[in-house]
Amino acid sequence: MQRKSIMALHEDDVLIRIDYASINKMDPGLARVNVFNFPLPYVLGFDFSGEVVGLGAQCQEAFKVGDEVLGRSLTGSCFAEYVVAKRENIVHRGAVPAPEASTYGVAYLTAYESLVMTGGIEQHRGKWIYVAGAAGGVGHFAAQIAKLYGLKVVGSAGKAASLNLLKELELDHVIDYSKQDVVQEVMNLTGGKGADLVYDSTYTQSSYAQSAVVVARGGEYIRLGTEAQVARAGANDVQSVVEGRGARMVISDLGRYARDPLYQAQTAKLTDGLKQAVSWYESGHLKPAITATVPFDAAALQQAFGDFLKGTNNVGKVVVRCA
């Protein structure tokens, strides 16, 4: 644990007292291997819910002290009591409870960006989508978004808790990969054609290998992350397999909105996506599944990271209660 002082706010800064922050796959990964060479000691945590307690000069029309908000921090620091975030990365959380609100800034936004902004999911309305790892943090959002856009959703999972979550989400079909052949099941469902859209956020080679051979000719396979990120996860790029089936590989990377000027100019679309999440929640169509809450304690957080890496708490979302 460490203490820092926030001496001043830039004009586009918002100071937020954090209620909850969520654990994403990048957090335990970065705790284990500091691939971005962050200056140590470094505080992880990239999305949050909380209350506005301070405003830069340019933020006072959009927010006021006391507003309940959700959002993301491009520089981390959300496993803390307070965080400074940019105005453009924050929205009012409306009726979304604080724990659920903390999960939208990374996992949901990854699914939204890849499916709606990059993948053009609207064109697949009425078609089949196969979501590998559909009970994971990103996967369970992807499955719900696909249902919202009128796709027929088939998801796979292997643990009892994961399978139960997929049943609660009322997917069109659920595959238990511990007992069933994923490829055969998808092909049977689609009359041998394959899924028109394949979504795999698992970063595991065994899943990639299955997903790559069930995409239909003329379909799309959405891959999260750059080749380097896939390699760091110990997986091989399956683009050649996908293209060999006459399908298109679509590459999505939420991180590029922080480092690539071309994508930085589109940040407003991500903000719109966060507002959409609030609206979908309030209408009862999109709900995060929170499966564990971790206290604001260094040892407890480290234990949660270890459990995440071992795959014992990677169903839905795990949140940290910071308040």
Side-chain angles (χ1 to χ4, degrees), residues 51-323:
E51 180 183 334
V52 173
V53 295
L55 294 163
Q58 294 180 1
C59 305
Q60 295 177 13
E61 291 187 7
F63 301 100
K64 65 180 184 296
V65 171
D67 282 354
E68 295 179 329
V69 296
L70 65 87
R72 61 196 184 107
S73 168
L74 304 185
T75 55
S77 300
C78 294
F79 297 139
E81 293 175 308
Y82 295 86
V83 69
V84 176
K86 295 299 181 185
R87 175 188 58 182
E88 62 188 3
N89 295 322
I90 304 166
V91 301
H92 294 93
R93 67 176 173 91
V96 185
E100 284 83 352
S102 73
T103 69
Y104 285 132
V106 175
Y108 158 79
L109 207 54
T110 294
Y112 179 88
E113 189 281 333
S114 53
L115 285 169
V116 179
M117 294 171 58
T118 297
I121 193 172
E122 181 67 44
Q123 64 185 308
H124 296 290
R125 187 177 294 275
K127 300 178 181 178
W128 279 103
I129 180 174
Y130 167 59
V131 182
V138 174
H140 89 293
F141 280 124
Q144 292 180 78
I145 292 171
K147 284 173 60 68
L148 280 162
Y149 277 85
L151 278 74
K152 295 177 288 186
V153 184
V154 53
S156 64
K159 296 186 297 187
S162 301
L163 293 165
N164 288 337
L165 173 56
L166 297 192
K167 291 174 183 176
E168 290 175 11
L169 295 179
E170 299 182 345
L171 304 192
D172 294 278
H173 191 81
V174 175
I175 300 173
D176 180 351
Y177 65 70
S178 69
K179 299 177 181 178
Q180 297 171 288
D181 185 314
V182 170
V183 175
Q184 181 178 337
E185 287 292 317
V186 174
M187 288 303 182
N188 288 344
L189 281 169
T190 59
K193 175 186 173 185
D196 302 282
L197 186 59
V198 171
Y199 192 92
D200 194 324
S201 60
T202 66
Y203 287 92
T204 60
Q205 186 58 40
S206 58
S207 182
Y208 281 3
Q210 295 171 334
S211 297
V213 297
V214 300
V215 60
R217 175 170 293 278
E220 292 182 335
Y221 178 114
I222 295 180
R223 188 193 81 196
L224 302 184
T226 63
E227 287 186 31
Q229 290 169 330
V230 170
R232 280 198 298 269
N236 299 321
D237 189 0
V238 292
Q239 184 165 353
S240 60
V241 179
V242 170
E243 293 177 346
R245 290 184 55 79
R248 184 167 74 99
M249 173 74 82
V250 177
I251 298 172
S252 171
D253 176 20
L254 188 62
R256 61 193 174 190
Y257 291 84
R259 61 178 182 267
D260 186 331
L262 178 63
Y263 286 92
Q264 287 173 340
Q266 302 178 51
T267 298
K269 294 181 180 180
L270 296 179
T271 307
D272 289 342
L274 289 176
K275 292 177 181 178
Q276 181 65 76
V278 173
S279 177
W280 278 333
Y281 182 92
E282 292 177 338
S283 64
H285 292 108
L286 180 76
K287 184 177 181 180
I290 296 178
T291 53
T293 301
V294 179
F296 185 58
D297 174 82
L301 192 56
Q302 183 165 325
Q303 179 66 48
F305 278 16
D307 290 344
F308 197 103
L309 291 170
K310 290 184 292 187
T312 57
N313 70 342
N314 57 357
V315 180
K317 291 293 297 177
V318 175
V319 300
V320 181
R321 191 180 192 282
C322 299

Side-chain angles (χ1 to χ4, degrees), residues 6-68:
I6 300 170
M7 305 307 294
L9 296 177
H10 293 119
E11 290 188 344
D12 59 344
D13 284 344
V14 179
L15 176 62
I16 296 151
R17 180 187 57 75
I18 298 179
D19 291 325
Y20 289 84
S22 79
I23 298 177
N24 295 286
K25 182 171 287 189
M26 71 178 79
D27 294 307
L30 288 170
R32 185 172 57 176
V33 181
N34 186 8
V35 296
F36 299 125
N37 295 313
F38 289 138
L40 301 178
Y42 190 82
V43 179
L44 295 166
F46 292 85
D47 51 358
F48 61 85
S49 65
E51 180 183 334
V52 173
V53 295
L55 294 163
Q58 294 180 1
C59 305
Q60 295 177 13
E61 291 187 7
F63 301 100
K64 65 180 184 296
V65 171
D67 282 354
E68 295 179 329

